[in-house]
Amino acid sequence: MNLQGWAEIALTLGLAALIGWPLGIYMSRVWNGERTWLDPVLKPVEGLFYRAAGVNPTHSQGWLGYAGALLAFNGAGFIALYALLRLQGGLPLNPQGFEGLSPHLAFNTAVSFVTNTNWQSYGGETTLSTLTQMVGLTTQNFLSAATGAAIAAALARAFVASRGEGVGNFWADMTRTTLWVLLPLSIVLALVLVGLGVTQTLAASAGATGLEGGSQTLSLFPTASQLAIKQLGINGGGVFNVNSAHPFENPTPLTNLITAISINVLGWAAFFAFGRSVLAKKDVRALILAAVVLLGLSAAAMYAIETQPAPSLVAAGVDASANMEGKEVRFGVPASVAWAVQTTGASNGSVNSMHASYLPLGGALQMYLMQLGEILPGGIGSGIAIMVVMAVLSVFVAGLMVGRTPEYLGKKIEAREIQYAMIAVLVLPLAVLGFTAVAAVLPTALEGLLNDGPHGLSEMLYAYTSAAGNNGSAFAGLTANAPWWNTTLGLAMLMGRFVPAIAVLAIAGSLVVKPKLAPSPGTLPTHGPLFIGLLIGVILILGGLQFFPALALGPLVEHFQMLAVVAGL
């Protein structure tokens, strides 16, 4: 550990939140239909989409109609992407001649990109054609991110309305987020990345001669355009198997810094946009501070963990100042840690180092960040939505303590909202622990493990945590391209994405019809240090009580096993 490392981590995390502030103001204007500088160009394009689809963007849907449109749209996207993956071998722009995917791999991949998870049970450069990457996966990177933003926009309207009827129009929210936010930002970022050396070509490969005179064939793709939305959309799936550790995707420390900041910038922007939209900037600022505290402490802890030498090297008498296994020497520990914390605190899943190679406590921390609900800051819209659910649970707990009906942002929180909130937060442990428990005793599932013992359990626990949390990163020792893993991980992704989404929309539907109340002497202030502490406590307890036993059996046991090696036991 050194001052330069701490400064690098602080700069990466701080710039993401700082840049997210003005982008959040802009995103709020887009959600609210206010005028922006892109209107003269994009308004006519937006109108064409509505006329072609027969959509009235001014029609406000009830929460059931909004949820139905969301599910129907994503269902159609799944069918289209599944068909593209299966038929890939007979389609154009396939210079490598890749065959179509197997049914279970196509199911897993289609679900993965529709749910904004981007889990990859395949190597991108050896499995998917240029057409599939560009038309199939990149399209879903835009639309799945816009779907998450739409959920947050609907929830914001529910808090603003007083005895309202609808939560907005899904088609308008999805279209405007894509056209006004995701597309222009991705174009700018892609051009910057191309200028910094990230590849962008339709050629299949390039030849190279190595230092010893041997020839190599290097796979090429239109990488920059897909990398931009992969990061800005908080998606994570890369065109190369090693993701952002690949020099064609992340060639320099500068591209590493830019793409690392891009992981979280729109997640933070959604927090600021929500605060401006609900006219409660101080209250949402408390949510941001709680997330920043948790993310900052996690980064500090992981930096301290990974700047220790691996116990096996200590036992062998090898001089090592840090755990560099699985990390790029050109980035080092600080840049690897900053990326790992951001990608697991958000639902991004991209990596510039191999998470399975982190020390056991570092791996446990990565899992724990995902198990908190992907709210630090999480996906675009989905992160702030679940953070609001946590805030609702916090004011409910506080209300029980003082014997008052809880309120949040001017809305009374009653039994119905708490029931929906519990559905939103309990589906994660149900999917993660349920599937892991079955896989741990099923021979078919155990065949996919590279390691046995505690690390093998960690591989399974990480996979289902990542899938249900819609993250997408992995402990690379698991061979997931098998019917059991592709199917159950796909089901976990569906549960983790759409059950909370419907629960949040149900909360919005329940709140929108309620009157907007002015604060009373009995209202708990939700912007001060007391509430921030309470919120952090609720988040940690929900994660800790549910997942600590599983973490104790996996990475924590492995940690003590490694210490035993050093002690010579």
Side-chain angles (χ1 to χ4, degrees):
M1 289 185 292
N2 55 50
L3 183 60
Q4 180 179 340
W6 288 112
E8 187 174 346
I9 294 171
L11 178 68
T12 306
L13 272 61
L15 281 177
L18 186 64
I19 298 172
W21 180 20
L23 288 178
I25 296 173
Y26 172 73
M27 188 183 294
S28 173
R29 296 181 66 86
V30 172
W31 286 358
N32 299 334
E34 300 174 37
R35 182 171 177 79
T36 72
W37 63 278
L38 286 176
D39 283 9
V41 175
L42 295 179
K43 276 288 186 182
V45 179
E46 180 191 24
L48 287 175
F49 279 112
Y50 295 149
R51 286 193 293 274
V55 170
N56 178 7
T58 62
H59 170 66
S60 185
Q61 299 167 304
W63 81 267
L64 282 173
Y66 200 99
L70 184 150
L71 293 175
F73 180 75
N74 283 274
F78 165 78
I79 293 171
L81 181 53
Y82 180 83
L84 179 62
L85 293 167
R86 294 283 287 137
L87 300 172
Q88 172 181 262
L91 297 174
L93 282 178
N94 185 7
Q96 301 89 345
F98 293 141
E99 296 294 328
L101 274 59
S102 65
H104 59 83
L105 181 56
F107 168 78
N108 179 279
T109 305
V111 168
S112 179
F113 281 80
V114 167
T115 59
N116 199 243
T117 307
N118 293 40
W119 171 276
Q120 294 172 287
S121 292
Y122 59 88
E125 65 266 48
T126 60
T127 309
L128 297 184
S129 70
T130 300
L131 178 72
T132 302
Q133 298 268 17
M134 293 175 60
V135 176
L137 305 190
T138 305
T139 298
Q140 283 303 322
N141 280 345
F142 280 95
L143 299 181
S144 62
T147 297
I151 296 169
L155 184 62
R157 295 187 191 101
F159 279 105
V160 172
S162 183
R163 300 188 187 278
E165 295 181 356
V167 295
N169 188 289
F170 169 76
W171 308 108
D173 289 337
M174 186 269 299
T175 302
R176 290 185 62 82
T177 300
T178 302
L179 290 179
W180 267 262
V181 180
L182 297 174
L183 191 59
L185 289 176
S186 296
I187 291 172
V188 171
L189 181 57
L191 292 174
V192 170
L193 293 173
V194 169
L196 293 174
V198 178
T199 59
Q200 181 73 12
T201 176
L202 295 178
S205 61
T209 302
L211 295 176
E212 298 179 353
S215 61
Q216 291 180 294
T217 300
L218 306 175
S219 297
L220 297 174
F221 289 95
T223 307
S225 58
Q226 295 174 77
L227 174 59
I229 187 57
K230 164 189 128 175
Q231 300 299 78
L232 288 172
I234 315 187
N235 296 284
V239 297
F240 297 106
N241 192 33
V242 295
N243 210 273
S244 288
H246 198 293
F248 287 175
E249 188 166 327
N250 193 4
T252 67
L254 181 56
T255 60
N256 187 79
L257 176 64
I258 292 172
T259 50
I261 291 170
S262 302
I263 292 173
N264 275 358
V265 66
L266 288 185
W268 291 124
F271 273 71
F272 289 109
F274 187 89
R276 182 180 183 273
S277 296
V278 300
L279 307 177
K281 295 180 182 178
K282 290 194 299 182
D283 300 86
V284 176
R285 195 177 301 137
L287 306 186
I288 295 171
L289 288 174
V292 167
V293 168
L294 289 171
L295 194 65
L297 291 176
S298 299
M302 193 175 294
Y303 185 42
I305 292 167
E306 293 302 312
T307 47
Q308 304 300 316
S312 57
L313 296 180
V314 174
V318 177
D319 184 21
S321 60
N323 175 36
M324 283 300 295
E325 180 188 341
K327 298 181 179 67
E328 284 283 309
V329 176
R330 58 203 172 106
F331 300 144
V333 172
S336 301
V337 165
W339 192 297
V341 170
Q342 288 196 121
T343 200
T344 50
S347 57
N348 181 266
S350 65
V351 296
N352 72 347
S353 59
M354 297 301 104
H355 289 188
S357 295
Y358 280 60
L359 293 175
L361 293 183
L365 186 54
Q366 292 166 1
M367 283 189 265
Y368 193 65
L369 284 170
M370 291 185 282
Q371 290 161 354
L372 294 181
E374 299 284 44
I375 53 178
L376 308 178
I380 303 175
S382 59
I384 179 60
I386 300 302
M387 181 62 94
V388 169
V389 169
M390 293 293 186
V392 166
L393 292 174
S394 298
V395 297
F396 177 73
V397 171
L400 291 178
M401 292 178 179
V402 299
R404 291 181 179 272
T405 302
E407 299 174 14
Y408 188 63
L409 303 183
K411 297 281 186 169
K412 281 193 175 183
I413 305 301
E414 298 173 305
R416 185 180 297 273
E417 291 79 34
I418 297 303
Q419 290 166 357
Y420 291 140
M422 292 310 300
I423 291 173
V425 299
L426 290 179
V427 67
L428 184 62
L430 175 64
V432 172
L433 300 178
F435 280 122
T436 302
V438 176
V441 297
L442 195 67
T444 301
L446 296 175
E447 291 175 358
L449 299 182
L450 177 64
N451 301 277
D452 54 13
H455 195 78
L457 177 61
S458 295
E459 289 176 1
M460 293 188 292
L461 183 63
Y462 194 107
Y464 286 117
T465 298
S466 178
N470 300 137
N471 184 274
S473 61
F475 267 16
L478 177 67
T479 301
N481 188 14
W484 164 265
W485 288 105
N486 279 331
T487 303
T488 57
L489 288 170
L491 293 174
M493 295 174 207
L494 290 171
M495 292 172 64
R497 176 65 163 181
F498 293 114
V499 173
I502 300 307
V504 168
L505 291 175
I507 293 173
S510 179
L511 293 176
V512 74
V513 298
K514 293 185 177 184
K516 182 80 171 178
L517 304 175
S520 68
T523 301
L524 171 70
T526 54
H527 57 266
L530 178 63
F531 179 75
I532 294 173
L534 177 63
L535 176 61
I536 291 174
V538 168
I539 293 170
L540 293 177
I541 290 171
L542 279 177
L545 291 181
Q546 295 170 126
F547 293 105
F548 183 78
L551 293 172
L553 293 173
L556 297 187
V557 168
E558 185 183 2
H559 170 71
F560 287 109
Q561 285 181 333
M562 295 179 69
L563 294 181
V565 171
V566 177
L569 300 178

